[in-house]
Amino acid sequence: FISCSTLAGFAGLLRSVRVFTAHPMFGEGYELRMIAAAVIGGVSLRGGVGSLPGAVIGAILLRVIRNGIVLAGISGAWYRVFIGLIILVAVVFNRFVDDKTRSKL
Protein backbone atom coordinates (compact mmCIF):
# COMPACT_ATOMS: atom_id res chain seq x y z
CA PHE A 1 0.00 0.00 0.00
CA ILE A 2 2.86 2.34 0.76
CA SER A 3 4.52 1.85 -2.62
CA CYS A 4 1.17 2.20 -4.43
CA SER A 5 0.37 5.43 -2.60
CA THR A 6 3.86 6.80 -3.21
CA LEU A 7 3.69 6.04 -6.92
CA ALA A 8 0.18 7.52 -7.17
CA GLY A 9 1.40 10.71 -5.48
CA PHE A 10 4.38 10.86 -7.81
CA ALA A 11 2.11 10.38 -10.85
CA GLY A 12 -0.15 13.20 -9.61
CA LEU A 13 2.86 15.44 -9.19
CA LEU A 14 4.07 14.69 -12.72
CA ARG A 15 0.59 15.36 -14.10
CA SER A 16 0.41 18.69 -12.27
CA VAL A 17 3.83 19.75 -13.53
CA ARG A 18 2.89 18.80 -17.09
CA VAL A 19 -0.15 21.12 -17.23
CA PHE A 20 1.19 23.75 -14.79
CA THR A 21 -1.79 23.44 -12.46
CA ALA A 22 -3.45 21.02 -10.06
CA HIS A 23 -7.11 20.11 -10.17
CA PRO A 24 -8.91 17.45 -8.13
CA MET A 25 -10.71 16.07 -11.19
CA PHE A 26 -7.57 15.26 -13.24
CA GLY A 27 -7.85 11.54 -12.59
CA GLU A 28 -11.56 11.22 -13.31
CA GLY A 29 -12.23 8.12 -15.38
CA TYR A 30 -8.74 6.67 -14.95
CA GLU A 31 -10.01 3.98 -12.59
CA LEU A 32 -12.25 2.52 -15.28
CA ARG A 33 -9.39 2.53 -17.79
CA MET A 34 -6.98 0.83 -15.38
CA ILE A 35 -9.46 -1.85 -14.37
CA ALA A 36 -10.26 -2.43 -18.04
CA ALA A 37 -6.57 -2.67 -18.94
CA ALA A 38 -5.98 -5.21 -16.19
CA VAL A 39 -9.03 -7.32 -17.08
CA ILE A 40 -8.22 -7.25 -20.81
CA GLY A 41 -4.65 -8.20 -19.95
CA GLY A 42 -5.83 -11.38 -18.25
CA VAL A 43 -6.14 -10.42 -14.58
CA SER A 44 -8.96 -12.38 -12.99
CA LEU A 45 -11.55 -10.39 -11.08
CA ARG A 46 -11.59 -13.28 -8.63
CA GLY A 47 -7.97 -12.48 -7.81
CA GLY A 48 -4.74 -14.41 -7.78
CA VAL A 49 -4.12 -14.54 -11.52
CA GLY A 50 -2.49 -11.97 -13.78
CA SER A 51 0.77 -10.51 -14.97
CA LEU A 52 2.34 -7.13 -15.56
CA PRO A 53 2.99 -7.75 -19.28
CA GLY A 54 -0.67 -8.69 -19.72
CA ALA A 55 -1.81 -5.47 -18.05
CA VAL A 56 0.55 -3.45 -20.25
CA ILE A 57 -0.83 -5.17 -23.36
CA GLY A 58 -4.34 -4.38 -22.14
CA ALA A 59 -3.42 -0.71 -21.68
CA ILE A 60 -1.91 -0.57 -25.17
CA LEU A 61 -5.03 -2.19 -26.63
CA LEU A 62 -7.25 0.36 -24.89
CA ARG A 63 -5.15 3.20 -26.29
CA VAL A 64 -5.42 1.75 -29.79
CA ILE A 65 -9.20 1.56 -29.38
CA ARG A 66 -9.29 5.16 -28.13
CA ASN A 67 -7.27 6.34 -31.12
CA GLY A 68 -9.52 4.36 -33.48
CA ILE A 69 -12.62 6.00 -32.02
CA VAL A 70 -11.08 9.45 -32.48
CA LEU A 71 -9.97 8.71 -36.04
CA ALA A 72 -13.38 7.28 -36.93
CA GLY A 73 -15.03 10.50 -35.76
CA ILE A 74 -17.17 8.77 -33.13
CA SER A 75 -18.19 10.90 -30.15
CA GLY A 76 -15.87 10.57 -27.15
CA ALA A 77 -18.84 9.74 -24.93
CA TRP A 78 -19.03 6.34 -26.60
CA TYR A 79 -15.53 5.46 -25.38
CA ARG A 80 -16.85 4.42 -21.97
CA VAL A 81 -19.54 2.31 -23.61
CA PHE A 82 -16.88 0.51 -25.66
CA ILE A 83 -14.74 -0.01 -22.56
CA GLY A 84 -17.72 -1.40 -20.66
CA LEU A 85 -18.48 -3.84 -23.46
CA ILE A 86 -14.85 -4.91 -23.65
CA ILE A 87 -14.74 -5.50 -19.89
CA LEU A 88 -17.93 -7.53 -20.12
CA VAL A 89 -16.53 -9.70 -22.93
CA ALA A 90 -13.22 -10.13 -21.09
CA VAL A 91 -14.96 -11.15 -17.85
CA VAL A 92 -17.18 -13.67 -19.63
CA PHE A 93 -14.17 -15.08 -21.49
CA ASN A 94 -12.15 -15.23 -18.27
CA ARG A 95 -15.00 -16.97 -16.47
CA PHE A 96 -15.29 -19.48 -19.31
CA VAL A 97 -11.54 -20.22 -19.25
CA ASP A 98 -11.53 -20.54 -15.44
CA ASP A 99 -14.43 -22.98 -15.52
CA LYS A 100 -12.76 -25.09 -18.23
CA THR A 101 -9.51 -25.13 -16.24
CA ARG A 102 -11.23 -26.14 -13.02
CA SER A 103 -13.22 -28.91 -14.69
CA LYS A 104 -9.96 -30.52 -15.90
CA LEU A 105 -8.59 -30.62 -12.37
Side-chain angles (χ1 to χ4, degrees), residues 38-51:
V39 170
I40 291 169
V43 173
S44 175
L45 289 178
R46 292 180 173 178
V49 178
S51 67

Side-chain angles (χ1 to χ4, degrees), residues 8 14 17 21 44 46-47 53 55 65 71 75 82 84 87 98-100:
L14 288 177
V17 168
T21 187
S44 175
R46 292 180 173 178
I65 292 169
L71 291 174
S75 171
F82 285 121
I87 291 174
D98 281 349
D99 289 343
K100 288 290 187 181

Side-chain angles (χ1 to χ4, degrees), residues 38-93:
V39 170
I40 291 169
V43 173
S44 175
L45 289 178
R46 292 180 173 178
V49 178
S51 67
L52 182 62
V56 170
I57 290 170
I60 291 170
L61 181 64
L62 282 179
R63 197 53 169 165
V64 168
I65 292 169
R66 173 76 175 195
N67 289 341
I69 288 173
V70 170
L71 291 174
I74 300 171
S75 171
W78 285 97
Y79 178 63
R80 289 186 181 179
V81 174
F82 285 121
I83 289 179
L85 291 173
I86 291 169
I87 291 174
L88 185 64
V89 168
V91 167
V92 169
F93 179 75

Side-chain angles (χ1 to χ4, degrees), residues 15 18 26-36 80:
R15 174 78 175 178
R18 181 175 171 219
F26 272 155
E28 184 180 16
Y30 282 9
E31 64 279 352
L32 178 64
R33 292 183 214 166
M34 296 309 110
I35 291 170
R80 289 186 181 179

Side-chain angles (χ1 to χ4, degrees), residues 90-103:
V91 167
V92 169
F93 179 75
N94 192 345
R95 175 76 177 198
F96 179 73
V97 169
D98 281 349
D99 289 343
K100 288 290 187 181
T101 304
R102 290 179 189 196
S103 66

